[in-house]
Structures are given as structure tokens and as C-alpha cells.
């Protein structure tokens, strides 16, 4: 992992999203290799300091692997504790997570930290579920305030969701013979440093798309298909219009890849890879 080329790492990660996690995974591997002689650290603060490791992951590792009293507070655990204590603090606030972690760590059993962490996770996943909790089967129902007071489904409390920002994009699936145009995103921002199909901000019509493709230097000759799709990220929604355009010239501004190379070499985020589903499938239409 520490020595893998980034392109290989991204290809193996392809389709999973959150590509910064892959970057951090490699950074952490390199830190472990250089600072810890290849041995994973066993102290909370050292693990927490690894790139990409947050409080939840560090708590899970330390408690389960090293039997130390650190809580791993995820959605399941937050749901259990807020119901058990009738805590109406919004669970999507970091302060709430920090406070609940501190409360749990005070009651962690000294010799069964890993068991306790996993028991909480399992209880939330199988019994104290979001919509249909099995309260009569729950081993904690004797001291669960929400169960006693009939308020179970009022918890957990979350802050009102913000609407995702809508962004319209025009995507170009440029094909020259059996190769397709790729370019790399900038090293900053969403999907930073990843391969992508050429695209521009905003929605343009067919004639504008052909004129824009001409400015790319690819000599467009035919609009083969128009494909409309939506891709949703954590805080943003892309409304995409993709034009599959046949070209006669391969511009040097792009990297050109065959379908086979796209399968084996180049990692494309799902937001762009999904347009290749329409290439050879006559049953696929271009509408949403």
C-alpha cells in the first residue's frame, strides 16, 4: 500500500467514492512504514494521528484490537444512548458525539473493551434499529428511559437537513475511432486529481455542444446520443447532460483510452463512468 502508484490505488478503489479515503489510507501506510517500522501503533493518540483516522475509527481499533477503554461512536451507538438517556441533543453535532463518547468511556468494562464496543454496534444494528426497534427483546429495556416513557421513536434528534446545492454540467463523451477522451481534474476540490470526461459548467444545447467540441480540436462530425443523468455527492447534486460525439481527430489536450484501457488502467469516478453503460447497449436510453 505504501509503495503503490496512486493510479493503481485509484483503479482498485474505483466506484467506491470518497477518493480522499484512498489517499489517506496510503498516507497512513507510509507513516506506519517510516515511523513505526511497519508495525501498526497500539496507542489511541498515535492511531488518531494517522491520516484519515477519526475518533470513531481510532476508538474501534483501540478497543477491539488492543482492549483499551475508548468508545467508537457511530450512528448505531448514538441512537442507543440518546434513547436510553432521552438525550435530545442533535446527534449530527460533534459536541454531542464527544460528550456521549466521554460518558461511555467512564463505564467501559476494563477487560472486555472490544466486546463492549462490538455489543453496542450489534445492539444498534439488530435491535435498537431506527424505525422498528425490538424494544421488548432489548437487554437494556429495564433502564432505557425512552422505552419506559414511550418516546423511543422521538430519538435520535437531528438538525434540519440543508438542501444539496444543484449544479448543472455538460459532459462530453468524445469518441475517435475506438478511443475516448479523458482529462484530469485539478488537485483541489471535488474529485481532485481524478480522471474525468471533458465537461463544462452549465447546461448547453446540442449546437452549442458541437461548437464547444470543435474548440477542443477534435473535429466533431456527429452527435451519436444525448444522455441525461443526476449524480449526488454529500453536499452537491450534479444535473448532467452528456453528449456522445463522434470525432475524426484526437486532440493532444486529452488522453485517449480504449474501452479495454478504461476497464484496466484508468480510474473514473462513477459520476463519469456511468455514461459508458450506454455505448453498446441498445436498450439503454439517454433520458432520466
Amino acid at each position: 500500500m505504501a509503495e503503490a502508484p496512486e493510479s493503481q490505488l485509484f483503479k482498485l478503489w474505483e466506484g467506491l467514492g470518497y477518493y480522499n479515503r484512498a489517499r489517506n489510507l496510503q498516507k497512513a501506510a507510509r507513516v506506519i512504514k517510516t515511523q513505526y517500522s511497519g508495525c501498526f501503533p497500539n496507542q489511541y493518540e498515535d492511531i488518531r494521528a494517522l491520516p484519515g483516522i477519526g475518533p470513531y475509527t481510532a476508538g474501534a481499533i483501540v478497543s477491539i484490537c488492543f482492549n483499551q477503554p475508548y468508545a467508537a461512536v457511530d450512528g448505531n451507538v448514538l441512537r442507543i444512548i440518546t434513547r436510553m438517556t432521552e438525550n435530545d441533543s442533535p446527534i449530527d453535532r460533534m459536541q454531542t458525539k464527544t460528550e456521549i463518547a466521554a460518558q461511555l468511556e467512564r463505564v467501559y468494562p476494563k477487560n472486555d473493551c472490544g466486546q463492549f464496543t462490538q455489543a453496542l454496534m450489534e445492539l444498534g444494528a439488530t435491535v435498537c434499529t431506527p424505525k422498528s426497534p425490538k424494544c421488548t427483546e432489548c437487554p437494556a429495556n429495564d433502564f432505557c428511559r425512552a422505552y419506559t416513557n414511550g418516546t423511543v421513536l422521538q430519538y435520535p434528534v437531528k438538525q434540519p437537513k440543508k438542501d444539496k446545492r444543484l449544479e448543472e454540467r455538460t459532459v462530453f463523451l468524445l469518441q475517435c475511432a475506438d478511443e475516448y477522451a479523458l482529462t484530469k481534474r485539478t488537485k483541489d476540490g471535488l474529485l481532485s486529481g481524478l480522471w474525468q470526461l471533458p465537461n463544462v459548467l452549465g447546461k448547453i444545447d446540442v449546437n452549442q455542444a458541437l461548437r464547444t467540441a470543435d474548440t477542443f480540436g477534435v473535429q466533431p462530425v456527429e452527435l451519436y446520443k444525448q444522455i441525461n443523468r443526476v449524480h449526488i455527492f454529500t453536499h452537491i447534486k450534479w444535473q448532467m447532460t452528456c453528449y456522445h460525439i463522434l470525432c475524426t481527430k484526437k486532440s493532444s489536450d486529452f488522453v485517449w483510452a480504449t474501452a479495454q484501457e478504461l476497464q484496466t488502467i484508468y480510474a473514473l469516478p462513477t459520476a463519469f463512468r456511468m455514461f459508458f453503460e450506454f455505448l453498446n447497449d441498445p436498450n439503454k436510453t439517454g433520458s432520466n
Side-chain angles (χ1 to χ4, degrees):
M1 173 63 71
E3 297 174 359
E6 188 177 80
S7 59
Q8 180 187 15
L9 178 68
F10 285 163
K11 187 61 184 174
L12 293 168
W13 193 269
E14 186 178 50
L16 296 177
Y18 299 101
Y19 282 83
N20 274 337
R21 291 181 178 178
R23 287 193 178 95
N24 285 329
L25 190 63
Q26 184 171 62
K27 290 176 183 177
R30 289 172 175 168
V31 170
I32 292 168
K33 179 182 176 183
T34 57
Q35 296 185 19
Y36 298 98
S37 302
C39 295
F40 201 95
N42 61 11
Q43 297 300 310
Y44 179 87
E45 294 303 330
D46 293 334
I47 295 172
R48 181 71 178 84
L50 293 173
I53 300 289
Y56 167 75
T57 304
I61 293 171
V62 169
S63 61
I64 296 171
C65 300
F66 304 115
N67 198 33
Q68 297 176 30
Y70 288 90
V73 178
D74 66 353
N76 286 326
V77 174
L78 288 167
R79 186 166 59 255
I80 293 168
I81 302 305
T82 54
R83 285 174 172 173
M84 194 177 294
T85 60
E86 285 194 315
N87 183 345
D88 58 5
S89 300
I91 62 168
D92 43 3
R93 286 172 42 200
M94 183 54 68
Q95 181 181 348
T96 303
K97 296 177 184 178
T98 301
E99 290 172 352
I100 287 178
Q103 291 166 6
L104 279 171
E105 287 165 6
R106 288 196 289 269
V107 298
Y108 253 69
K110 290 184 179 179
N111 298 318
D112 282 313
C113 296
Q115 285 275 74
F116 193 65
T117 291
Q118 293 181 81
L120 286 168
M121 293 177 177
E122 187 73 4
L123 186 65
T126 63
V127 178
C128 193
T129 54
K131 294 182 179 180
S132 302
K134 303 177 181 67
C135 293
T136 58
E137 302 173 19
C138 181
N141 61 20
D142 284 347
F143 49 90
C144 176
R145 292 180 182 174
Y147 177 63
T148 300
N149 297 324
T151 59
V152 171
L153 295 182
Q154 295 179 28
Y155 300 92
V157 174
K158 293 183 179 180
Q159 298 180 96
K161 282 189 176 181
K162 295 181 180 178
D163 290 336
K164 295 182 187 294
R165 179 166 60 89
L166 178 64
E167 185 174 286
E168 291 190 320
R169 284 192 168 268
T170 301
V171 179
F172 296 87
L173 181 55
L174 304 175
Q175 180 179 354
C176 187
D178 63 346
E179 294 183 311
Y180 304 91
L182 300 177
T183 184
K184 268 198 171 181
R185 294 181 67 80
T186 63
K187 292 185 177 181
D188 300 311
L190 187 65
L191 303 177
S192 58
L194 300 179
W195 290 105
Q196 65 175 349
L197 296 177
N199 63 94
V200 296
L201 190 61
K203 181 179 180 179
I204 60 178
D205 63 25
V206 173
N207 292 328
Q208 290 174 308
L210 289 170
R211 289 196 296 269
T212 301
D214 193 44
T215 67
F216 294 154
V218 296
Q219 294 182 356
V221 293
E222 181 187 352
L223 173 67
Y224 184 72
K225 185 177 287 187
Q226 176 179 332
I227 307 161
N228 301 310
R229 281 292 176 267
V230 171
H231 189 76
I232 298 175
F233 299 94
T234 305
H235 302 298
I236 189 171
K237 179 166 71 173
W238 278 3
Q239 183 85 42
M240 294 183 287
T241 302
C242 177
Y243 295 107
H244 181 185
I245 299 174
L246 304 183
C247 312
T248 59
K249 182 179 179 181
K250 291 189 289 186
S251 169
S252 60
D253 290 341
F254 303 124
V255 169
W256 295 84
T258 64
Q260 177 65 23
E261 289 172 330
L262 285 165
Q263 289 296 323
T264 58
I265 298 174
Y266 296 98
L268 275 179
T270 301
F272 297 104
R273 179 165 290 280
M274 63 180 174
F275 293 113
F276 285 93
E277 298 174 3
F278 296 85
L279 291 181
N280 300 311
D281 190 345
N283 296 318
K284 293 255 185 195
T285 65
S287 60
N288 276 325

